[in-house]
Amino acid sequence: MRNLWKWLGLAGAVGVATGGVLIARDQRQRKAYSADDVRERLHQRLAEVDTAGGEDERT
């Protein structure tokens, strides 16, 4: 029974470490965009929403 708890504890620690790595990688990717890149992407997304969703709301 002791070995079971040791393995569960180890698995939990590995899960926490993996989550930290994924969050750090996501942050690095997000910071890689310049302000102009972010602005351009937001304008693109807004234009897509206006063309796709705007027709449904008006009718």
Side-chain angles (χ1 to χ4, degrees), residues 39-59:
R39 189 177 304 111
E40 182 178 333
R41 294 182 87 188
L42 286 173
H43 285 296
Q44 279 180 332
R45 289 172 61 184
L46 179 63
E48 290 173 4
V49 169
D50 283 342
T51 58
E55 296 170 359
D56 294 339
E57 293 176 11
R58 293 180 190 151
T59 58

Side-chain angles (χ1 to χ4, degrees), residues 1-2 5-7 11-12 14-15 18 24 29-35 37-39 44 47-48 54 57:
M1 192 65 172
R2 280 183 156 174
W5 290 112
K6 287 181 184 178
W7 283 108
V14 169
T18 302
Q29 287 176 346
R30 210 177 300 152
K31 288 182 180 181
Y33 295 120
S34 70
D37 291 338
V38 172
R39 189 177 304 111
Q44 279 180 332
E48 290 173 4
E57 293 176 11

